[in-house]
Amino acid sequence: MRGIACVRWAAGAIAVGLLMTACGGGSGYGGAGVLTSSWGDPQNPLEPANTNEVQGGKVLDMIFRGLKKYDPRTGKATNMLAERIDTPDSRTFTITVKNGWKFSNGEPVTAHSFVDAWNYGASLRNNQKNAYFFGYIEGYDKVHPAGGPQTADTLSGLRVTGPRTFTVRLGQKFSSFPDTLGYNAYAPLPRAFFTDHAAWLSKPVGNGPYEIESYTKGSAMALKKWNAYPGPDPAQNVGVTLLVYTDNNTAYTDVLAGNLDLVDDVPASQLKNVGTDLGGRYINTPAGILQTLAFPYYAPGWNTDGARKVRTGLSMAINRRQITETIFRRTRTPATDWTSPVLGTAGGYQAGLCGHACDYDPVQAKRLIQEGGGFPGGQLKITYNADTGSHKQWVDAVCNSVNNALGNDRACVGNPVGTFADFRNQLGQHKMTGPFRAGWQMDYPLIQNFLQPLYYTGASSNDGKWSNAEFDRRVDRANAETDRPRAVALFQQAEEVVRDNMAAIPLWYQNGSAGYSSRLSHVALNPFSVPVYNEIKVG
């Protein structure tokens, strides 16, 4: 592929209408100082409280800065817009916003920028996917009740006390609350968001190192460096153009051909060649990502005592080590718990927690599946999106492993959905009838984030609607604990409930991977596997 001097975008790789007339990013969508990167359309408009998937999150990371920022090397939460966060009791927090920050439209960032944004995000009538993140704050039950209409417009636990100060009172003690505030749901919003919402949605305005210049759904988003950005981490390039691909193999070959600068998810089919193809321009680094098989507990047959045996047997029918070695080639590691090794043992990672249930044991797998009554509906159909990643390959491999264990080559089949957006929409509408792929990229590096958003009753990312009162109680106790090591230990006890019920099947821990062109330097992935775009240099 290196010998090809110029390649036009392959049909189907990028939506019709996006044409590249130049090679090597020298003009067209690239250009001097501008890098091009593979991307996928976000599921929703880019409101911070309404974006809970990776593609939209990449953009929010570029156009917003919050009270905290996660170090791109260590993941540690450090102050960004927060001058200080004080608390006498781990329940009431006084937050002081740094002076001199503004949005790219010139508006100052004030205490109201945060409080108004959080009240908007929490409100039931605004239907924000990340509303649950504001559930810690007092008054959430009034602005976002579990049933019936909301009876308040603002969170009673939020109060502006000065131009740059506000207080947050939580419903219970949560010692780690400040460390969550680097998540994009907590980003500030300008007054323009509220006064002309439609205009803001068409061209979001933030306070980060980049501004959105243009966006054509299905094609591309162009971001340019905001030269007046007041933060300590300005963009080291002129801009970033995100190009929509429906096939990462095409993105990869376009990097080799010089038509794309960066692919941030090297497809499994290319891993055997990537060292030769890219040499030192290939990145493979641990990330806070866990892949699982999740289940629709709202579907008949999956929420029974027998189904628990079936889930455990299914876990034992999957030869994780063989799949990760043959398909993913050192970019995945068989999972043995429901968190991530990037947390470290002090952060809550428990190697081996899953025990024998995560070992490949085809004899025991077949016995448990039979004892549990077999797969609901008679056949296991694993649903996944077919447009990004290498999901077809690993789903086919999982089904092959299951079929071999059961001695039935039709026991398990893949059920592809065309696009990630369609896949997410089906999940949101609770249309799954069998297991589905679930990838969790941590929002912040806490064990709490691997458990509560996914398994707590009614949580925002609990797509399968699993519910367990004992798990909820243990999470509540962990959140109330002010001593960090004790809180971690309590969260680990909650994780044991997930294990004992096999609420989801852990598959593998995922590394971040990327490949890039010779035009780029200083390319790195953060612990969330997202390129640190503002540090990349183009030359």
Side-chain angles (χ1 to χ4, degrees):
M1 299 300 292
R2 289 183 182 277
I4 300 175
C6 185
V7 178
R8 295 181 63 85
W9 297 117
I14 294 184
V16 175
L18 175 59
L19 295 177
M20 191 72 152
T21 57
C23 299
S27 59
Y29 279 99
V34 178
L35 69 101
T36 56
S37 181
S38 61
W39 189 52
D41 278 313
Q43 182 188 10
N44 301 299
L46 292 170
E47 297 168 297
N50 204 32
T51 298
N52 67 345
E53 41 77 30
V54 175
Q55 304 304 332
K58 291 176 185 176
V59 180
L60 296 185
D61 285 346
M62 287 193 275
I63 67 172
F64 279 105
R65 288 293 181 264
L67 293 165
K68 294 275 189 175
K69 183 176 184 291
Y70 302 115
D71 186 281
R73 305 295 181 269
T74 67
K76 179 179 173 60
T78 57
N79 283 352
M80 181 54 76
L81 269 74
E83 183 173 290
R84 56 188 301 168
I85 301 176
D86 301 310
T87 180
D89 57 4
S90 294
R91 184 174 180 184
T92 299
F93 297 83
T94 299
I95 297 174
T96 303
V97 180
K98 289 179 181 177
N99 195 21
W101 278 83
K102 61 182 180 178
F103 294 98
S104 61
N105 65 356
E107 290 185 38
V109 180
T110 68
H112 271 292
S113 304
F114 289 96
V115 171
D116 293 347
W118 296 7
N119 279 323
Y120 178 90
S123 175
L124 178 64
R125 67 173 60 95
N126 294 326
N127 194 32
Q128 301 287 282
K129 289 187 176 296
N130 286 328
Y132 183 77
F133 282 88
F134 305 102
Y136 306 115
I137 303 173
E138 275 193 351
Y140 183 77
D141 59 331
K142 300 294 191 299
V143 302
H144 203 114
Q150 65 186 86
T151 56
D153 293 326
T154 58
L155 293 159
S156 60
L158 292 180
R159 187 164 67 93
V160 174
T161 56
R164 294 190 293 114
T165 58
F166 65 102
T167 59
V168 185
R169 181 166 174 79
L170 307 182
Q172 65 175 54
K173 292 181 178 181
F174 184 12
S175 60
S176 298
F177 177 69
D179 288 345
T180 72
L181 298 178
Y183 183 53
N184 284 320
Y186 297 108
L189 289 169
R191 289 305 308 159
F193 177 89
F194 304 98
T195 57
D196 195 344
H197 192 220
W200 190 94
L201 288 180
S202 67
K203 193 173 183 180
V205 172
N207 66 322
Y210 292 92
E211 301 176 84
I212 294 177
E213 195 167 23
S214 64
Y215 174 42
T216 302
K217 185 176 176 61
S219 296
M221 175 178 285
L223 300 102
K224 64 179 180 180
K225 176 180 180 179
W226 178 30
N227 291 318
Y229 173 64
D233 55 338
Q236 300 300 308
N237 48 67
V238 174
V240 177
T241 299
L242 302 172
L243 300 175
V244 177
Y245 278 79
T246 58
D247 181 358
N248 272 13
N249 280 288
T250 305
Y252 179 81
T253 55
D254 279 341
V255 169
L256 299 185
N259 286 330
L260 182 71
D261 290 316
L262 175 63
V263 55
D264 66 354
D265 185 9
V266 176
S269 61
Q270 303 292 348
L271 292 175
K272 63 182 179 295
N273 306 315
V274 69
T276 301
D277 289 344
L278 294 173
R281 293 181 286 111
Y282 168 58
I283 298 172
N284 176 25
T285 184
I289 303 175
L290 175 69
Q291 297 287 342
T292 67
L293 280 184
F295 296 88
Y297 290 93
Y298 50 80
W302 282 111
N303 198 10
T304 65
D305 287 339
R308 179 165 55 180
K309 281 191 173 183
V310 171
R311 294 192 298 273
T312 303
L314 176 58
S315 175
M316 299 172 79
I318 299 171
N319 193 335
R320 294 165 177 79
R321 185 155 302 281
Q322 182 183 66
I323 292 170
T324 54
E325 289 178 355
T326 58
I327 293 179
F328 294 117
R329 294 177 180 265
R330 299 181 301 281
T331 63
R332 308 289 191 276
T333 305
T336 61
D337 86 327
W338 284 260
T339 67
S340 168
V342 301
L343 295 179
T345 54
Y349 167 62
Q350 299 183 87
L353 178 69
C354 186
H356 188 52
C358 284
D359 292 335
Y360 179 57
D361 186 340
V363 175
Q364 179 80 335
K366 184 174 183 178
R367 183 181 67 81
L368 286 172
I369 292 170
Q370 290 175 341
E371 288 181 359
F375 297 137
Q379 185 182 52
L380 193 74
K381 294 183 178 181
I382 300 176
T383 301
Y384 64 96
N385 60 294
D387 60 337
T388 59
S390 306
H391 304 312
K392 182 183 189 308
Q393 286 178 275
W394 71 255
V395 169
D396 287 349
V398 165
C399 279
N400 184 59
S401 183
V402 172
N403 292 342
N404 287 339
L406 299 183
N408 178 356
D409 62 5
R410 294 297 298 167
C412 176
V413 295
N415 181 37
V417 174
T419 67
F420 178 73
D422 288 344
F423 175 69
R424 288 298 311 171
N425 287 333
Q426 288 189 29
L427 288 178
Q429 295 166 18
H430 308 131
K431 291 184 175 180
M432 296 293 135
T433 58
F436 51 92
R437 83 147 191 104
W440 184 249
Q441 180 189 55
M442 65 182 182
D443 302 308
Y444 39 83
L446 298 174
I447 183 175
Q448 178 265 354
N449 187 240
F450 282 92
L451 299 176
Q452 187 164 354
L454 294 166
Y455 306 112
Y456 197 90
T457 301
S460 59
S461 295
N462 187 348
D463 292 321
K465 296 297 179 183
W466 186 69
S467 180
N468 184 284
E470 179 59 25
F471 173 83
D472 292 352
R473 281 193 292 269
R474 294 188 186 190
V475 166
D476 289 342
R477 287 200 297 270
N479 280 330
E481 179 57 58
T482 57
D483 178 73
R484 180 69 64 90
R486 178 61 180 159
V488 168
L490 290 170
F491 277 119
Q492 290 176 323
Q493 292 178 19
E495 188 182 357
E496 292 172 1
V497 179
V498 174
R499 174 200 62 191
D500 295 343
N501 289 273
M502 194 57 74
I505 295 176
L507 295 174
W508 35 78
Y509 310 116
Q510 181 173 329
N511 282 8
S513 67
Y516 56 96
S517 73
S518 58
R519 290 209 318 147
L520 305 187
S521 63
H522 297 81
V523 183
L525 301 177
N526 64 24
F528 305 88
S529 85
V530 174
V532 188
Y533 287 108
N534 62 289
E535 294 185 1
I536 298 174
K537 294 183 178 181
V538 182

